[in-house]
Amino acid sequence: MAGAPPFVPSFTPSGAPSFAPPGAPAAAPPPVPPAGPPPAPFGPPPGAFGAGPAPVGQQRPTAPRPQTVTAHDAVLCVSAPAMAASGPDGQLRGQGLQGFYRAGIRTLARMEIRLGGIEPMPLQGALSSSAEARFVGAVRVPGDPDPDPALMVERLRHADGSETVTVRNAGGRPARLPLEIAFGTDLGLLTEIAGGQRSADLPSQVQSAGLRWAGHGRSATVSARPTPHAVLAGAGVLRWDLEVQPGARWSVELKTALESAPPGARPPAGRGQSVPLPWAEPEVRCDDARAQRLLTRSLDSLGSLLIADADRPTDLYAASGAPWRFGLTAADALWAARLTLPLGTRLAAGTLRALARRQQTGTGPVGAVGGGPAGASASGQPAGAAAPGEASRHDGLIPGPMRHGGPELPPSCTATEATLLFVTVLAEAWRWGLPRHEVIELLPAVERALGALRAGVAEGSDGPEGFVLDLGRSAEERAARPAAARCEVQAQAYRAAMHGAELLAAFGRPGAAGWRTWAAALRERFREQFWVDDLSGGRPAAALLAGGRTVPAVASTFVHLLDVGLSTSGDLHESLLDREQTRLLAQRLAAPELDCGWGLRTLSAKSPRFNPLGHRSGAVRVHETALAVSGLADAGFEREAGVLLEGLLGASEYFEGRPPEMYAGEQRVTGSPPVPHPAACRPAALSAAAGVHLILALAGVRPDVPAGRVVVRPASTTPLGELQLTGLRVAGEPFSVRVSRIGVAVVEEASPQLQLGAG
């Protein structure tokens, strides 16, 4: 599925900035995790919007630019690829992140309103949806004997660059005074603004009913309707002389636009009004009112991040998050698609196709990549694996950025997670009802991904024998610098092997038996070598090093061991852990060292390297806690799942039903809200999709559309009380289910072609 150039990964401490604009072309395969400083986050260099970096081999990675601008207290309106940021007063002052943005360029930095020379007193500023915000202020007319302010100023802002300012006179006398709006912009790049750079405003020019700025190879405009009475180009001010009668109102519509970008750039595009949302609109009714709010606002947040693929605009995927990672991060996009599968398969299909077009392809023999093994060697390497040099080093990889590994482990490449997750998303989308012809179209990409998995299995001295390493590292590089086999990678690889085997067998492709044999061998090795005994009974190791040495850190990445994946007839795959190990893990996840009361810390609070604001050393990552809730419930540990569920629901209320990507892992204290993280994206695809998954997973809907069957196995403890879900999609048809307070499920609407079953 060629056609789109591959995109280059960049170093992204998960949650830290990565500014590659959606749709920006790039080249080169995923890099090997560097021994020295991580490479810089890439984005368009100054004056080259949309241009990718130089090919690998022509530029050296440099240290990342530190992020000094924060957005945790900003009012962010997002509608990909546009964004607006301000304080709660609504004024754009050009400070920090404030301004209107389009495709990573600040089209407008300042928009300050004064009425009669007075700034409105801020009364309220909040989002009305992910893309829109409303700000309300008041102005007391000078000389008015009434002590109450007579004039209300309302600003309705949309992320696309439009804003309506309305002045309403609630007093008893006519208000005659000027309205002045001061504008300015530096046309700066988000990459530079995040690092604290602020260039001087560009000189403005009068254009039609507004102003225009040009510089750095790009230009922007602001226009007004009605036409201003005066335009002061030197000061960048539009002025209207108002006379507002008692009880009357007056409005002006403002529109800012990116007029031009450098020649040859291909600006990214959002979903567009003519393209429907790629999911059904669900409705949830339950005893816990927080669930409805979380589900509705999570979908609204996810919808604001949708990007149309440049090569096929009807294929949509979710950008990673705003404001810092407003582009395609493969792993995040795949997670968003997977966690929303109960609402339909369109997002999954679009995401999979977009990533298949970007998958690395080599020139190795077809049999070495696509056929699959016939068995497994003693080392655990699937039989039939290509010898070194037979296939391209990066063949089959879905490119992705580098990710910070925390204080215990080095950075890792998200290409590994994305490549393995690609197989799982296709297999589970097929179970939910992705049409057969669409699955067949993507099978070559799955076979290439399985080939990359095969090449990533350690042999000899390059790492722990038979376990999966970062897939982007060649055998020579692994031998020169042995890598760690991470706990979560083994879980993802095992799941991908099982899902890959199911797809190969169902569609008559060779290799299914070999992948099942390899997965079973991995399961046995994992149970023996990845378990660390301690006084509490034991726990998984965070990673395994060459020679069998373990990294004993206690981390939230353990939750991936519970995410075993959907299989046939509504069943789930067997875990890498046995039953007793799973029980001990459930106890560990619910213990205070990981559960802070708001969710799971990324690192145990008992660790000497614990930092409640650390990306991988203590902050709460929403999607990992959501995976723990569903995984624990599926494994039968519903009490522990309920404790974590309550923590996430409690935190979501403080974030107004829009939880950010992460927040501080400080211990929950009665009366104190969770502490925001200054670098967190909000909205973020991961946390928004996790909010959807958190609610929908409690119904326990497990379809197997190819077999014409769907099973419903809800949590018997019903943590949300009575639960009714309508608007789901199974086999492309509406599906509704009701779960009573005693955990009895009743399917109220389903395709007549499906056989219903209950757990």
Side-chain angles (χ1 to χ4, degrees):
M1 298 180 66
F7 52 88
V8 175
S10 62
F11 180 81
T12 306
S14 186
S18 173
F19 308 99
V32 174
F42 92 85
F49 166 69
V56 167
Q58 297 183 20
Q59 70 175 27
R60 296 284 297 173
T62 57
R65 180 186 296 116
Q67 179 189 355
T68 60
V69 173
T70 64
H72 64 278
D73 56 349
V75 178
L76 286 174
C77 304
V78 177
S79 179
M83 178 180 75
S86 75
D89 63 352
Q91 297 278 48
L92 303 181
R93 306 180 190 276
Q95 300 171 354
L97 186 67
Q98 292 184 6
F100 280 100
Y101 294 80
R102 168 70 63 167
I105 297 172
R106 181 154 61 181
T107 56
L108 195 66
R110 291 191 302 108
M111 185 166 65
E112 300 177 76
I113 291 178
R114 286 178 173 80
L115 198 58
I118 302 172
E119 281 197 27
M121 180 190 346
L123 301 177
Q124 187 181 69
L127 292 176
S128 50
S129 72
S130 287
E132 299 174 308
R134 178 176 181 262
F135 304 92
V136 179
V139 174
R140 186 173 181 274
V141 179
D144 194 332
D146 194 326
D148 300 320
L151 300 181
M152 298 283 288
V153 180
E154 178 188 64
R155 305 173 71 164
L156 299 179
R157 176 174 299 158
H158 195 282
D160 65 4
S162 61
E163 182 161 328
T164 300
V165 180
T166 300
V167 179
R168 180 164 58 90
N169 186 359
R173 300 189 304 168
R176 300 181 179 88
L177 69 176
L179 169 68
E180 295 179 329
I181 308 179
F183 299 91
T185 188
D186 54 359
L187 291 177
L189 296 174
L190 184 56
T191 49
E192 300 166 349
I193 293 165
Q197 297 186 32
R198 173 68 165 98
S199 302
D201 281 355
L202 296 167
S204 57
Q205 305 168 347
V206 177
Q207 176 169 306
S208 183
L211 297 166
R212 181 179 184 272
W213 299 266
H216 315 302
R218 42 193 177 266
S219 60
T221 62
V222 64
S223 56
R225 192 176 59 181
T227 302
H229 298 143
V231 179
L232 308 177
V237 173
L238 303 183
R239 173 177 171 140
W240 294 263
D241 296 317
L242 305 188
E243 181 174 338
V244 186
Q245 298 298 322
R249 63 179 61 202
W250 179 92
S251 296
V252 59
E253 296 179 7
L254 305 167
K255 180 69 175 180
T256 181
L258 180 65
E259 189 179 54
S260 64
R266 184 174 60 179
R271 174 171 61 91
Q273 295 182 352
S274 62
V275 180
L277 285 168
W279 52 69
E281 294 285 355
E283 183 177 351
V284 56
R285 297 176 185 171
C286 66
D287 294 338
D288 193 327
R290 297 174 296 180
Q292 174 69 59
R293 188 185 198 196
L294 177 61
L295 179 63
T296 301
R297 294 195 171 181
S298 292
L299 283 174
D300 177 55
S301 296
L302 191 61
S304 72
L305 294 171
L306 292 178
I307 295 285
D309 189 57
D311 295 289
R312 187 172 173 177
T314 55
D315 284 345
L316 302 176
Y317 59 79
S320 185
W324 313 121
R325 300 204 308 280
F326 222 157
L328 175 58
T329 299
D332 292 0
L334 285 166
W335 275 115
R338 184 188 180 208
L339 297 180
T340 55
L341 279 173
L343 303 179
T345 60
R346 285 190 58 238
L347 181 60
T351 302
L352 289 165
R353 285 191 291 262
L355 293 176
R357 287 190 284 271
R358 291 161 169 82
Q359 188 180 33
Q360 299 293 335
T361 58
T363 56
V366 174
V369 176
S377 68
S379 68
Q381 181 81 331
E390 282 188 358
S392 171
R393 164 186 162 192
H394 299 293
D395 192 26
L397 284 182
I398 306 293
M402 297 295 291
R403 175 181 288 159
H404 184 51
E408 304 285 351
L409 290 167
S412 62
C413 187
T414 59
T416 299
E417 181 179 15
T419 302
L420 299 174
L421 191 56
F422 185 95
V423 181
T424 283
V425 173
L426 180 59
E428 293 189 338
W430 174 52
R431 297 286 178 204
W432 280 94
L434 184 66
R436 183 179 177 86
H437 70 276
E438 296 188 45
V439 179
I440 292 174
E441 177 190 7
L442 291 161
L443 283 179
V446 164
E447 292 175 318
R448 289 192 291 268
L450 291 173
L453 167 57
R454 179 188 306 115
V457 178
E459 288 188 322
S461 61
D462 60 350
E465 184 82 7
F467 290 104
V468 182
L469 310 177
D470 275 352
L471 304 186
R473 294 166 59 92
S474 68
E476 294 79 6
E477 291 162 335
R478 296 202 303 259
R481 191 174 66 251
R486 298 168 185 266
C487 168
E488 67 273 19
V489 171
Q490 311 317 305
Q492 293 159 2
Y494 170 76
R495 188 181 62 217
M498 297 297 290
H499 278 142
E502 291 171 358
L503 287 169
L504 294 176
F507 289 88
R509 306 288 182 115
W515 281 114
R516 290 194 185 98
T517 301
W518 179 83
L522 176 64
R523 184 170 64 239
E524 294 306 313
R525 282 193 303 275
F526 188 93
R527 292 178 180 180
E528 294 174 1
Q529 300 180 42
F530 253 87
W531 193 255
V532 178
D533 290 318
D534 60 19
L535 295 177
S536 66
R539 65 185 186 277
L544 198 64
L545 306 175
R549 293 177 295 126
T550 60
V551 177
V554 177
S556 62
T557 51
F558 293 166
V559 304
H560 292 275
L561 296 169
L562 300 171
D563 182 20
V564 293
L566 187 63
S567 184
T568 59
S569 301
D571 290 331
L572 301 176
H573 290 127
E574 184 179 354
S575 172
L576 282 178
L577 301 178
D578 62 30
R579 180 64 183 175
E580 177 61 14
Q581 290 172 337
T582 303
R583 183 186 69 81
L584 292 169
L585 175 58
Q587 291 179 349
R588 180 77 65 168
L589 292 175
E593 66 172 317
L594 279 180
D595 179 18
C596 72
W598 301 117
L600 290 177
R601 300 180 173 101
T602 48
L603 186 66
S604 166
K606 294 182 179 180
S607 170
R609 297 179 175 181
F610 170 72
N611 173 5
L613 289 174
H615 295 88
R616 282 289 165 192
S617 56
V620 174
R621 303 189 70 81
V622 172
H623 87 285
E624 288 184 338
T625 305
L627 289 178
V629 171
S630 58
L632 288 168
D634 286 336
F637 300 98
E638 295 183 5
R639 183 192 66 81
E640 291 84 353
V643 170
L644 294 175
L645 172 65
E646 171 56 36
L648 273 189
L649 287 175
S652 74
E653 282 297 282
Y654 283 105
F655 292 113
E656 298 181 338
R658 302 179 188 274
E661 174 188 21
M662 59 184 169
Y663 43 86
E666 290 195 326
Q667 190 62 42
R668 183 173 184 172
V669 177
T670 302
S672 297
V675 177
H677 193 290
C681 286
R682 55 178 186 88
L686 278 174
S687 59
V692 176
H693 175 72
L694 193 69
I695 306 304
L696 302 186
L698 294 177
V701 180
R702 300 181 188 174
D704 186 359
V705 172
R709 180 178 173 83
V710 60
V711 173
V712 181
R713 295 175 181 168
S716 61
T717 52
T718 58
L720 298 179
E722 184 174 355
L723 174 65
Q724 184 176 15
L725 290 171
T726 59
L728 309 185
R729 288 292 184 274
V730 180
E733 298 292 332
F735 188 90
S736 302
V737 61
R738 177 169 49 84
V739 181
S740 72
R741 293 184 179 91
I742 59 173
V744 176
V746 177
V747 176
E748 298 183 326
E749 184 180 22
S751 168
Q753 307 301 318
L754 294 175
Q755 178 184 353
L756 305 180

